[in-house]
Amino acid sequence: MKKIFLYISALLAGAACTAQETLLSPDGRLRLEFSLADGGRPTYTLDYKERPVILPSGMGLELRGEAPKLEFGAEIRKGEPGRPVSLYDGFTLGQVARSESDQTWRPVWGEQAEIRDRYNEMAVTLRQAATGRDMTIRFRLYDDGLGFRYEFPEQESLTYFVIGEEKTQFAMAGDHTAFWIPGDYDTQEYDYTESKLSQIRELMPGAITPNSSQTPFSPTGVQTALQMKSDDGLYINIHEAALVDYACMHLDLDDRNFIFTSHLTPDAQGWKGYMQAPCHTPWRTVTVSDDARDILASKLILNLNEPCAYDDTSWIKPVKYMGVWWEMITGKSDWAYTRDVPSVQLGVTDYARCRPSGRHGAENENVKRYIDFAAAHGFDQLLVEGWNVGWEDWFGHTKDYVFDFVTPYPDFDIAALNEYAHGKGIRLMMHHETSASVRNYERHMEAAYRLMDKYGYNSVKSGYVGDILPRGEHHYGQWMNNHYLYAVRRAADHKIMVNAHEAVRPTGLCRTYPNLIGNESARGTEYQAFGGSKPHHVTILPFTRLQGGPMDYTPGIFVMDVAEVNPGNHSHVNATLANQLALYVTMYSPLQMAADLPEHYEKYMDAFRFIEDVALDWEESRYLLAEPGDYIVVARKAKDTGEWFVGGVTDENRRTVTLPFDYLDPGKEYVATLYADAPDADYQTNPQAYVIRTGKVRQRTELDVEMARGGGFAISIREATDADRKLCKLK
Amino acid sequence: MKKIFLYISALLAGAACTAQETLLSPDGRLRLEFSLADGGRPTYTLDYKERPVILPSGMGLELRGEAPKLEFGAEIRKGEPGRPVSLYDGFTLGQVARSESDQTWRPVWGEQAEIRDRYNEMAVTLRQAATGRDMTIRFRLYDDGLGFRYEFPEQESLTYFVIGEEKTQFAMAGDHTAFWIPGDYDTQEYDYTESKLSQIRELMPGAITPNSSQTPFSPTGVQTALQMKSDDGLYINIHEAALVDYACMHLDLDDRNFIFTSHLTPDAQGWKGYMQAPCHTPWRTVTVSDDARDILASKLILNLNEPCAYDDTSWIKPVKYMGVWWEMITGKSDWAYTRDVPSVQLGVTDYARCRPSGRHGAENENVKRYIDFAAAHGFDQLLVEGWNVGWEDWFGHTKDYVFDFVTPYPDFDIAALNEYAHGKGIRLMMHHETSASVRNYERHMEAAYRLMDKYGYNSVKSGYVGDILPRGEHHYGQWMNNHYLYAVRRAADHKIMVNAHEAVRPTGLCRTYPNLIGNESARGTEYQAFGGSKPHHVTILPFTRLQGGPMDYTPGIFVMDVAEVNPGNHSHVNATLANQLALYVTMYSPLQMAADLPEHYEKYMDAFRFIEDVALDWEESRYLLAEPGDYIVVARKAKDTGEWFVGGVTDENRRTVTLPFDYLDPGKEYVATLYADAPDADYQTNPQAYVIRTGKVRQRTELDVEMARGGGFAISIREATDADRKLCKLK
């Protein structure tokens, strides 16, 4: 569609501070007010259907003090503490530029084939008279929310600058219910807490569970995407979009006044960002609706990202995969090849002389067993972790040269196994655990990608477990955010898709770089083997973590007592089997794993059928029912086949939902297969109890489906054929 | 020669703390005593001819607290402050292993063709009963000094550890005279101060002159190599050897008791080193003699380094070069191409649309002019700085993506200029200024080296001006030391020689990695255009900076008033022209630059002849006269031709030296050409006044040569031929 620009420039240089600028969403329901408060402080409010979403909230940044202009060889003074640091007050209003835009674009992969990007825009240029600095705040108002960012035009008085802190406020209108995890510079792998804003402080200590690298920063600090619900039923979600060359934003809560203030991830020196004008911050986003389903369906984050940066995207494909993985996660087998060497020095340690422990997961015959199963059941790829030397002491030592990413263990025949896999029509998936030693990874990256080219890998799961090297940097600081994108872009040079774990949480960058097909950046299924996650987790993640992009959640666990895999591990997977199936639909991702062991799937082949059938890429998606922390039901239409798949999950409460089928074509008859919790199913006591029923449905069908505690259901729907004529109506 | 090992193991487990172990140098003049003092504290003393060099001094390290053993997915506790951190007391004596070694090796390039490596060794293993930790201190005693290091064998109770500080003491026997520069984590580019140890504190503020990146750490902190002289005439030099994967050591002085303690360069978090046993520290060295010339002639630092790491070294050659450089250093021309763009964004800034400033040094025709001159006068290479995009804002902004190292400016035709140079028998020398943005450099390094391969470059001058990125790291910390060596090793993969400026000061690594043909790591000639250096500077550098390896000092300035190059620059080069010639001999380096402009050399072609003639690689070197801070005279015999070259420099005092020629072959007649200060020469008032005299010399010749204030002399000597029969004796 054409983009229509409509500029209404109002030059108000030196205007009174009471100047107020209003912006409405295309449907008129969202109303943004911008003004300069006392002292020339930029301030905004946001209303939805005349109900307050954001009360008057300050905007701007605090600088470290711009570096003075220097000449090489000239005398240099550091610090310059006297220089003004405020970019949050002392402003007068300059030009206000308005425009409208309405375009439609087609993602390389996604929840729907076409995405409409329609907004009204207002760019307010502010002049700080005392410093001669200009700053523009650009607002984009969509029907489902607001995005705004700070822009720094090229100018004499502000070129290179260091951010001390961003001072964006989000003042809530009340003591909302929030679904939050602790703010942390290094991990998002926390269980969610549902509480009032006023309860965050008291609940924080219990919410901070141990992690291999973690740096909480405040007793009321929380992460984005933060989902809230007001007492009067407004769903408000705060996040950011297009996080590029900037630190990840957290939210620090003033819990007396319910005002969140942005808190950026610092670098090793405590500073928050290094900027060079012309430049801008990421978008700060507020998604809002009185219907929770609108939050899940929102494409605001993607829309605020730049279009695809690649000319050719034909090499980017959704991936359904299995992995030599759960057996290590549960502790049944090892990533490491040997237990002979307590300390590895790559290039020195001679693995040929080490005794294999007999517990190595990435061992030729074992890998072949997985290849056989995955190929037989239509998977695209098989992830193999622990294939490369160095796993004996990879963890917890902040070890610089920890992996080389190219040398296989003696019992992993990389050439033969890839050939074997290719012979069966699947690929191996590469694994690059960096142990957060990032310089080391970048040093080996090109050789690592070339090795992938050589053996026919086209996707890599990367990992950043542990404290970052360079030491003092954090997982979510500008330094690392730059790295993650570097890895994705260099991978694109090799037509490689990336699924980065422990990286910064996504902010829609997969629109621009669609070879970023997955991220972890939240508490994934692995924690079910580390003591378990809360059942409501999967009813919250689509409202929070998934707002920015797909998650490699690695669902599909069928055997819930981990002790059946490793007798020493007493973890329990807090889900029913039907719930695990539902996740392939409720947790949208173009990358989906069947995470359990082949021998477990062999026990439940009728249920496994759903994992085989479910699509990865969608023509359209319909969120049917949703309440954060309680339940989510979504129906999706597969891009190629036109088949529909429905998934539903609940929290720790049993509940029955009434499913509509109104998204089906009228007049057509369909065959639906329902995978549901059995009446006696329960995530704790009877998780593997499920029923499978096949029957006919039509557009006007309504179906009651019961979900067990921690349960769910999945449905596959195809058009009926003559062969189905004897089928009854689905019950 | 064969290496003879003679083990005398004395197993003294649980021996009394008064145990004392003695080690003598091969000639018996140096005597090391090791003992465990009260509390099991390792202690050593060193005597030279029964005069104390090091009074009882403690040894050891303080740890941060060894990281606890963790399992992936297990609960983690940070800090572990309760764990013992001492590796400096609580020891008992274990095995004492003694050996002798006498070998000779041939450096790829150097001051002499063969180097004798003869020492007596004692390795003392210490057991810390309370922790179960073992540490070995290995001492090597040479006739000219001591080396010792800490070794950490593979052991259960000490595998991965973090160094809080190294606690090696060097207790001086008196208030020696020292030639020192301020201890600093980021620069050595200071003028030397000559003072008593007791005066360092009061002189420190004046000694810390501005630099583009500097971090002094103590009012009595100084750098190594530190040259001292005792009141009774002992020359003592403290440095280190084989600095690999460890932080650079500084010395912090207790100026009441004249005790130096090691002070390592911290990382961004304040920690000093990350170790994985088995491993060891660099060698700590104490060179000592009652003859200053022995310090200059010492090969102790090289001997303590590992043998050459490369099988093939045929590609490593000494280099005499000129450069498109002094014109930028003086401010006559620019590194940058344009003055149109105040702020460059590589890949965005369009240089094709920028107006050239007309001041760009690396411009095709200007470069050709240098090529013509350099080729006509027998140089090997021509350095061109400012050839690549990004110089408009490279300095002082801690800019991440500051250079790409592969894109030439529009007026630098990289293909044509290399072809032009090769057609005249010389090469261009690559320049990689990193602006200390080290991640960015490593990201582009492989492509940068490949570009060099493509166009026939075989050497690179690299630079690290400004504060380090990753921010918070220092030029001399473990992180950066790892980088410098990485750059050298990756260069070797491409058969490229490296000359790194602003890198850590050398510690003899050029023995192991002889493609490291130069470093700056001290105040070089450039400072003569930034306000000047002290005349005594060049009489100290060989005692200090050059102890660890060659310096790219860039001598050969013939026009001392910088205003003649750039009227706006009133700096004066504090040297006579003859002094500048002498530096090619007194400042040993396989890499020598003629730093001045071709048009300046054209004015003094008779003097320039010496620069053309002087050799770069030596069969032998004889230090004839030396006193730190006063004068140095050295004679060297060229490796291929057998010609001798003599250089002498003085400080700010005029002095006459009587030169022996006893290194010449008896019975042979030689022709010597003397380039000396004219009688009225003076570095301040008349620096270009020189005389050139040619005459005959023999082994028994003695020649008085007068050096002006800030002056010097140079002599070239070749065997006489029949054509010389009419020549008179040199006077």
Side-chain angles (χ1 to χ4, degrees):
Chain A
M1 280 191 197
K2 265 198 218 165
K3 189 164 186 176
I4 304 161
F5 275 103
L6 215 157
Y7 279 104
I8 313 170
S9 298
L11 199 63
L12 298 167
C17 289
T18 51
Q20 185 155 313
E21 297 288 334
T22 301
L23 182 67
L24 296 179
S25 61
D27 66 5
R29 296 196 293 191
L30 276 161
R31 176 188 184 89
L32 172 94
E33 301 277 1
F34 174 80
S35 64
L36 286 175
D38 288 349
R41 181 176 288 256
T43 304
Y44 75 110
T45 63
L46 183 68
D47 290 352
Y48 173 81
K49 294 182 181 173
E50 301 188 353
R51 289 149 69 185
V53 178
I54 305 284
L55 297 179
S57 294
M59 313 182 91
L61 300 100
E62 183 175 86
L63 306 186
R64 179 191 176 189
E66 191 189 352
K69 293 227 174 217
L70 300 171
E71 297 290 329
F72 177 65
E75 189 176 347
I76 290 142
R77 287 194 194 82
K78 290 205 175 182
E80 299 279 322
R83 294 180 72 95
V85 297
S86 157
L87 258 182
Y88 53 81
D89 63 6
F91 285 106
T92 54
L93 194 61
Q95 180 177 289
V96 177
R98 291 166 181 277
S99 64
E100 296 172 2
S101 179
D102 188 356
Q103 297 183 77
T104 298
W105 58 279
R106 298 180 67 85
V108 176
W109 43 258
E111 293 187 271
Q112 55 205 65
E114 289 199 338
I115 294 174
R116 187 174 183 185
D117 182 9
R118 178 175 173 227
Y119 58 83
N120 291 339
E121 179 174 294
M122 176 171 76
V124 179
T125 293
L126 304 171
R127 163 57 65 103
Q128 198 177 40
T131 64
R133 292 169 179 159
D134 286 345
M135 177 171 77
T136 298
I137 306 180
R138 187 176 302 274
F139 297 93
R140 286 190 181 165
L141 207 50
Y142 293 78
D143 288 343
D144 54 358
L146 167 68
F148 63 88
R149 70 182 185 187
Y150 305 99
E151 299 181 350
F152 311 98
E154 191 165 341
Q155 55 191 301
E156 264 294 301
S157 42
L158 192 70
T159 306
Y160 306 91
F161 57 102
V162 179
I163 296 173
E165 188 57 277
E166 184 179 319
K167 298 173 83 73
T168 303
Q169 291 181 331
F170 304 87
M172 297 294 103
D175 188 9
H176 301 334
T177 296
F179 303 84
W180 58 274
I181 54 175
D184 195 299
Y185 300 152
D186 285 293
T187 189
Q188 297 121 347
E189 298 184 1
Y190 292 118
D191 252 334
Y192 281 90
T193 299
E194 177 180 343
S195 81
K196 290 286 185 186
L197 295 178
S198 57
Q199 296 173 304
I200 289 177
R201 185 182 296 274
E202 67 183 271
L203 295 170
M204 183 64 74
I208 300 172
T209 47
N211 196 275
S212 60
S213 176
Q214 60 186 156
T215 314
F217 62 86
S218 159
T220 55
V222 296
Q223 304 212 24
T224 75
L226 176 68
Q227 180 62 49
M228 288 172 284
K229 185 182 181 183
S230 70
D231 287 347
D232 61 347
L234 273 194
Y235 298 88
I236 303 166
N237 189 293
I238 303 177
H239 192 33
E240 64 180 308
L243 172 56
V244 175
D245 203 19
Y246 200 80
C248 170
M249 180 182 76
H250 307 280
L251 298 173
D252 203 11
L253 177 67
D254 166 357
D255 53 354
R256 289 191 178 190
N257 302 298
F258 309 127
I259 299 173
F260 289 105
T261 302
S262 54
H263 179 103
L264 303 181
T265 307
D267 78 347
Q269 301 190 113
W271 300 103
K272 301 298 182 86
Y274 299 82
M275 309 292 281
Q276 178 187 356
C279 60
H280 55 75
T281 69
W283 296 95
R284 279 66 188 90
T285 65
V286 183
T287 314
V288 58
S289 178
D290 51 13
D291 185 333
R293 297 175 301 179
D294 292 342
I295 305 292
L296 298 180
S298 172
K299 294 292 165 280
L300 183 142
I301 303 281
L302 287 176
N303 278 333
L304 286 168
N305 275 269
E306 297 297 314
C308 182
Y310 308 136
D311 292 330
D312 172 21
T313 58
S314 61
W315 49 278
I316 301 171
K317 309 273 188 201
V319 176
K320 199 184 288 182
Y321 75 106
M322 293 187 67
V324 182
W325 178 77
W326 186 246
E327 58 179 82
M328 284 91 94
I329 290 290
T330 53
K332 179 193 179 194
S333 63
D334 292 348
W335 283 272
Y337 169 71
T338 179
R339 295 192 164 185
D340 273 3
V341 284
S343 147
V344 174
Q345 297 193 346
L346 295 182
V348 177
T349 301
D350 183 0
Y351 281 100
R353 297 177 58 182
C354 295
R355 281 174 309 168
S357 67
R359 295 175 46 86
H360 185 215
E363 181 274 334
N364 288 324
E365 293 311 311
N366 194 41
V367 172
K368 280 186 189 168
R369 189 171 66 87
Y370 277 84
I371 292 172
D372 291 345
F373 185 89
H377 295 282
F379 285 84
D380 301 304
Q381 303 204 1
L382 176 73
L383 166 72
V384 187
E385 296 201 355
W387 67 275
N388 58 321
V389 296
W391 285 89
E392 286 71 18
D393 68 346
W394 74 285
F395 179 70
H397 304 304
T398 79
K399 191 178 161 185
D400 193 330
Y401 185 26
V402 54
F403 290 117
D404 72 3
F405 309 95
V406 295
T407 307
Y409 276 127
D411 60 347
F412 183 85
D413 187 335
I414 187 168
L417 288 170
N418 278 284
E419 201 176 326
Y420 185 80
H422 299 166
K424 300 207 162 195
I426 74 168
R427 291 180 194 258
L428 298 189
M429 182 184 288
M430 179 47 75
H431 184 230
H432 289 168
E433 173 54 50
T434 68
S435 193
S437 180
V438 176
R439 174 173 70 177
N440 180 59
Y441 185 39
E442 291 200 5
R443 284 178 174 177
H444 293 88
M445 190 177 279
E446 177 65 18
Y449 287 154
R450 284 190 192 177
L451 185 89
M452 291 177 63
D453 295 342
K454 178 177 175 185
Y455 290 113
Y457 294 87
N458 72 347
S459 67
V460 58
K461 173 182 173 181
S462 57
Y464 296 89
V465 171
D467 290 338
I468 296 292
L469 279 79
R471 298 178 183 93
E473 293 296 334
H474 294 291
H475 281 75
Y476 309 145
Q478 186 181 21
W479 184 266
M480 284 302 299
N481 293 341
N482 176 300
H483 164 80
Y484 303 128
L485 195 50
Y486 176 78
V488 168
R489 296 173 68 177
R490 294 292 75 75
D493 294 341
H494 294 262
K495 301 193 173 174
I496 288 170
M497 298 180 280
V498 175
N499 163 27
H501 282 223
E502 294 91 21
V504 70
R505 76 279 187 289
T507 56
L509 288 175
C510 56
R511 174 179 179 185
T512 314
Y513 306 100
N515 65 319
L516 178 58
I517 51 165
N519 273 114
E520 186 185 41
S521 311
R523 188 176 173 100
T525 299
E526 63 186 1
Y527 278 84
Q528 300 279 23
F530 301 161
S533 292
K534 297 177 188 170
H536 76 168
H537 196 54
V538 295
T539 71
I540 299 171
L541 284 173
F543 285 96
T544 54
R545 164 62 184 79
L546 268 60
Q547 287 290 303
M551 176 172 179
D552 183 29
Y553 187 68
T554 70
I557 302 301
F558 277 15
V559 174
M560 307 307 174
D561 284 322
V562 177
E564 288 192 33
V565 186
N566 171 16
N569 186 334
H570 301 290
S571 298
H572 179 80
V573 178
N574 292 321
T576 67
L577 193 151
N579 171 287
Q580 290 290 302
L581 295 182
L583 298 175
Y584 291 88
V585 191
T586 59
M587 298 280 284
Y588 166 67
S589 175
L591 178 78
Q592 289 285 15
M593 186 183 199
D596 211 337
L597 310 179
E599 55 267 40
H600 288 180
Y601 291 135
E602 280 164 352
K603 290 186 193 170
Y604 304 99
M605 287 308 290
D606 55 352
F608 185 66
R609 173 68 187 268
F610 183 80
I611 299 178
E612 290 181 78
D613 290 346
V614 68
L616 297 172
D617 200 18
W618 308 103
E619 184 67 30
E620 64 174 297
S621 294
R622 299 279 188 97
Y623 286 91
L624 305 179
L625 301 162
E627 185 63 32
D630 292 344
Y631 55 86
I632 292 172
V633 180
V634 61
R636 304 188 195 272
K637 183 181 184 186
K639 210 178 242 175
D640 293 328
T641 64
E643 294 179 0
W644 285 84
F645 295 86
V646 185
V649 290
T650 181
D651 59 0
E652 69 283 3
N653 297 309
R654 171 178 293 266
R655 75 179 77 233
T656 300
V657 291
T658 302
L659 291 184
F661 289 82
D662 55 355
Y663 44 85
L664 298 178
D665 283 348
K668 282 190 183 168
E669 202 173 42
Y670 293 83
V671 175
T673 301
L674 169 69
Y675 304 77
D677 291 319
D680 58 347
D682 183 285
Y683 79 93
Q684 286 174 311
T685 59
N686 196 18
Q688 277 102 341
Y690 60 89
V691 292
I692 302 176
R693 292 199 297 270
T694 299
K696 287 186 179 165
V697 294
R698 290 177 164 275
Q699 194 205 21
R700 279 175 297 178
T701 303
E702 287 203 340
L703 183 71
D704 284 345
V705 179
E706 195 175 19
M707 296 187 278
R709 298 174 63 237
F713 67 89
I715 309 176
S716 60
I717 305 172
R718 59 173 172 80
E719 280 191 45
T721 66
D722 286 350
D724 303 312
R725 62 187 178 278
K726 291 181 179 168
L727 260 183
C728 300
K729 189 180 167 196
L730 180 64
K731 284 179 186 171
Chain B
M1 282 195 199
K2 268 196 213 161
K3 189 165 187 178
I4 305 161
F5 275 101
L6 212 160
Y7 279 107
I8 313 171
S9 298
L11 199 63
L12 298 167
C17 287
T18 52
Q20 184 156 313
E21 297 288 334
T22 301
L23 182 68
L24 296 180
S25 61
D27 66 5
R29 296 196 293 191
L30 276 161
R31 178 189 182 88
L32 171 95
E33 300 277 1
F34 174 81
S35 63
L36 287 173
D38 288 350
R41 182 175 288 255
T43 303
Y44 75 109
T45 63
L46 183 68
D47 291 352
Y48 172 79
K49 294 182 182 174
E50 301 190 351
R51 289 148 69 185
V53 177
I54 306 285
L55 297 180
S57 294
M59 315 181 89
L61 300 100
E62 183 174 87
L63 306 186
R64 180 192 176 188
E66 191 189 351
K69 295 228 173 214
L70 301 170
E71 296 291 327
F72 177 67
E75 189 175 346
I76 290 142
R77 288 195 192 82
K78 289 206 178 184
E80 298 280 320
R83 294 179 72 93
V85 297
S86 157
L87 258 183
Y88 52 80
D89 64 5
F91 285 107
T92 53
L93 193 61
Q95 181 176 290
V96 177
R98 292 166 182 276
S99 64
E100 296 171 2
S101 179
D102 188 356
Q103 297 184 76
T104 298
W105 58 281
R106 299 180 66 84
V108 175
W109 42 260
E111 292 187 272
Q112 58 205 63
E114 290 200 336
I115 293 174
R116 187 174 182 185
D117 182 10
R118 179 177 172 226
Y119 60 83
N120 291 338
E121 179 175 294
M122 178 171 76
V124 180
T125 293
L126 304 171
R127 163 56 65 103
Q128 199 178 38
T131 63
R133 293 170 178 159
D134 286 343
M135 177 171 76
T136 297
I137 306 179
R138 187 175 302 274
F139 297 94
R140 285 189 181 166
L141 206 50
Y142 292 79
D143 288 343
D144 55 357
L146 167 68
F148 63 88
R149 71 181 186 187
Y150 304 99
E151 300 181 351
F152 311 97
E154 190 165 342
Q155 54 190 300
E156 266 291 304
S157 42
L158 191 71
T159 305
Y160 306 92
F161 57 102
V162 179
I163 296 174
E165 188 56 277
E166 184 179 319
K167 299 174 83 72
T168 303
Q169 292 182 329
F170 304 87
M172 297 294 102
D175 189 9
H176 302 333
T177 296
F179 303 85
W180 58 273
I181 55 175
D184 195 298
Y185 300 151
D186 285 294
T187 187
Q188 298 120 348
E189 297 184 2
Y190 292 118
D191 253 333
Y192 281 90
T193 300
E194 177 179 344
S195 81
K196 289 288 185 183
L197 295 178
S198 57
Q199 296 173 304
I200 289 177
R201 185 182 296 273
E202 67 182 271
L203 294 170
M204 183 64 75
I208 300 172
T209 47
N211 197 275
S212 61
S213 175
Q214 60 187 155
T215 314
F217 61 86
S218 158
T220 55
V222 297
Q223 303 212 23
T224 75
L226 175 68
Q227 180 62 50
M228 287 171 283
K229 185 181 182 183
S230 70
D231 288 346
D232 61 346
L234 273 194
Y235 299 89
I236 302 166
N237 189 294
I238 302 177
H239 193 33
E240 65 181 306
L243 172 56
V244 175
D245 202 20
Y246 200 80
C248 170
M249 179 182 76
H250 307 280
L251 298 173
D252 203 10
L253 178 65
D254 166 356
D255 53 355
R256 289 191 180 188
N257 300 298
F258 309 128
I259 298 172
F260 289 106
T261 302
S262 53
H263 179 103
L264 302 180
T265 307
D267 77 347
Q269 302 191 111
W271 300 103
K272 302 298 182 86
Y274 299 82
M275 309 291 281
Q276 178 187 357
C279 59
H280 54 76
T281 69
W283 296 95
R284 280 64 188 91
T285 64
V286 183
T287 314
V288 58
S289 178
D290 51 12
D291 185 333
R293 298 175 301 179
D294 292 342
I295 305 292
L296 298 179
S298 173
K299 295 292 166 281
L300 184 141
I301 303 280
L302 287 177
N303 278 332
L304 287 168
N305 275 271
E306 297 297 313
C308 182
Y310 308 137
D311 292 330
D312 172 21
T313 57
S314 62
W315 49 279
I316 301 171
K317 309 274 189 201
V319 176
K320 198 185 288 182
Y321 75 106
M322 292 185 69
V324 182
W325 178 77
W326 186 245
E327 59 180 81
M328 284 91 94
I329 289 290
T330 54
K332 179 193 178 191
S333 63
D334 292 349
W335 283 272
Y337 169 72
T338 179
R339 294 191 166 187
D340 273 3
V341 284
S343 147
V344 174
Q345 297 193 348
L346 294 182
V348 177
T349 301
D350 183 0
Y351 281 101
R353 297 177 58 182
C354 295
R355 281 173 311 170
S357 66
R359 296 176 44 86
H360 186 215
E363 180 274 333
N364 289 322
E365 293 310 311
N366 194 41
V367 173
K368 280 186 189 168
R369 190 172 65 86
Y370 277 84
I371 291 172
D372 292 343
F373 184 89
H377 296 283
F379 285 84
D380 302 305
Q381 304 204 1
L382 176 73
L383 167 72
V384 187
E385 297 200 355
W387 68 275
N388 58 322
V389 296
W391 286 89
E392 285 71 18
D393 69 346
W394 74 285
F395 180 70
H397 304 304
T398 78
K399 189 177 163 187
D400 193 329
Y401 186 25
V402 55
F403 290 117
D404 72 4
F405 309 97
V406 295
T407 307
Y409 276 128
D411 61 347
F412 184 85
D413 186 334
I414 188 167
L417 288 170
N418 278 284
E419 199 176 328
Y420 185 80
H422 298 165
K424 300 208 162 195
I426 74 168
R427 291 179 194 258
L428 298 189
M429 182 185 289
M430 179 47 75
H431 185 230
H432 289 168
E433 173 55 48
T434 67
S435 193
S437 181
V438 177
R439 173 173 72 178
N440 180 60
Y441 186 37
E442 291 199 5
R443 284 179 174 180
H444 293 87
M445 191 178 279
E446 177 64 18
Y449 287 154
R450 284 190 192 178
L451 186 89
M452 291 177 63
D453 296 342
K454 178 178 177 186
Y455 290 114
Y457 294 87
N458 72 347
S459 67
V460 59
K461 173 183 172 180
S462 57
Y464 297 88
V465 171
D467 289 338
I468 296 292
L469 282 79
R471 298 177 183 93
E473 292 295 335
H474 294 291
H475 282 74
Y476 309 146
Q478 185 182 20
W479 184 266
M480 284 300 299
N481 293 341
N482 176 301
H483 164 80
Y484 303 129
L485 196 51
Y486 177 79
V488 168
R489 295 173 70 176
R490 294 292 75 74
D493 295 342
H494 294 262
K495 300 192 173 175
I496 288 170
M497 298 178 281
V498 175
N499 163 28
H501 283 223
E502 296 90 22
V504 70
R505 73 281 187 290
T507 55
L509 288 174
C510 56
R511 175 180 177 184
T512 313
Y513 307 100
N515 65 319
L516 178 58
I517 52 164
N519 274 114
E520 186 185 42
S521 312
R523 188 176 173 99
T525 299
E526 63 186 2
Y527 279 84
Q528 299 280 22
F530 300 162
S533 293
K534 296 177 188 169
H536 77 170
H537 197 54
V538 294
T539 71
I540 298 171
L541 284 173
F543 285 96
T544 54
R545 163 64 184 77
L546 269 61
Q547 287 290 303
M551 175 170 180
D552 183 30
Y553 187 69
T554 70
I557 303 300
F558 278 15
V559 173
M560 308 307 173
D561 284 324
V562 176
E564 286 192 32
V565 186
N566 171 16
N569 187 334
H570 301 291
S571 298
H572 181 79
V573 178
N574 293 320
T576 68
L577 193 151
N579 170 287
Q580 290 289 303
L581 295 182
L583 298 175
Y584 292 87
V585 190
T586 59
M587 298 279 286
Y588 165 68
S589 175
L591 178 78
Q592 288 285 13
M593 184 184 200
D596 211 337
L597 310 178
E599 55 268 40
H600 288 179
Y601 291 135
E602 280 166 351
K603 289 185 192 171
Y604 304 98
M605 287 307 290
D606 55 351
F608 186 66
R609 174 67 188 268
F610 183 80
I611 299 178
E612 291 181 77
D613 290 346
V614 68
L616 297 172
D617 201 17
W618 308 102
E619 183 67 29
E620 64 174 297
S621 295
R622 298 280 187 97
Y623 286 90
L624 305 178
L625 302 162
E627 184 63 31
D630 292 345
Y631 55 86
I632 291 172
V633 180
V634 61
R636 304 188 195 272
K637 184 182 182 184
K639 212 177 239 175
D640 293 328
T641 64
E643 294 178 0
W644 285 83
F645 295 87
V646 185
V649 290
T650 182
D651 59 359
E652 68 283 3
N653 296 308
R654 173 177 292 267
R655 74 181 77 234
T656 301
V657 292
T658 302
L659 292 184
F661 289 84
D662 55 355
Y663 44 85
L664 298 177
D665 281 347
K668 282 189 182 169
E669 203 173 41
Y670 294 83
V671 174
T673 300
L674 170 69
Y675 304 76
D677 291 319
D680 58 347
D682 182 286
Y683 79 93
Q684 286 175 310
T685 59
N686 196 18
Q688 278 103 341
Y690 60 89
V691 293
I692 302 176
R693 291 199 297 271
T694 299
K696 286 185 180 167
V697 294
R698 290 178 162 276
Q699 194 207 21
R700 279 174 297 177
T701 301
E702 290 204 334
L703 182 70
D704 285 347
V705 179
E706 195 175 17
M707 296 188 278
R709 298 174 63 238
F713 67 90
I715 309 175
S716 60
I717 305 172
R718 60 172 173 79
E719 278 191 48
T721 65
D722 285 351
D724 303 311
R725 63 187 175 276
K726 290 181 181 168
L727 262 183
C728 300
K729 191 181 163 193
L730 180 64
K731 282 178 187 172

